[in-house]
Amino acid sequence: MKNLWIKTIIPAFIFCLISLAGTAQVPEEVIVSLKTGNASTLSSYFNDNIELVVLDKDDVYSKDQARQIVSSFFSANSPQRFSIIHQGGKEGARYAIGNLSTKTGVFRVYFLLKEKGAKAYIHQLRIEKQ
C-alpha cells in the first residue's frame, strides 16, 4: 500500500497542484466590477477595440464606446450578484463564463482576456439574456 502512494497517488496529486497553479485566473477587479456594476473599472480592462455584445448591441467598439454601452446596461439592469461558473485558458489567453443576476433578470456573461505585457485585457465581452 505504501508503494502505491509513493508511485501513483503522490505524483498524481502533485500534477494536479501544478495544473491548478498554472491555470490563469480572471482578475478579481473584473469580477468585482461585474458584481457591483462598475463600468469604469471594468472598462479599464478593455482592449483598445473590443468585440462587444450587450443585448441588441453587437459590434466591435472602441474602449470608450464600449464603456458607455456597458454603463447604460448597468444603469438599466442593476447587478445584485455575479458568479463565475466556468473559466479556463492557456498561456496568454483566458476566458470565463458567469451568471449575472440583476433586478431585471439573469444574464449570461462571457469574456475573453488576452495578455498584453503584464496586464490582461478583455478582447470580447458578451452579456446575453438567459
Side-chain angles (χ1 to χ4, degrees), residues 44-47 112-116 119-123:
S44 72
Y45 285 87
F46 289 172
N47 194 33
L112 171 68
L113 297 108
K114 292 183 182 178
E115 291 179 12
K116 190 164 46 169
K119 186 174 177 181
Y121 290 93
I122 299 173
H123 283 252

Side-chain angles (χ1 to χ4, degrees), residues 90-108:
K90 56 184 179 176
E91 191 174 322
R94 55 195 117 154
Y95 68 92
I97 302 168
N99 286 329
L100 177 65
S101 298
T102 71
K103 291 183 178 181
T104 58
V106 179
F107 297 85
R108 183 62 53 104

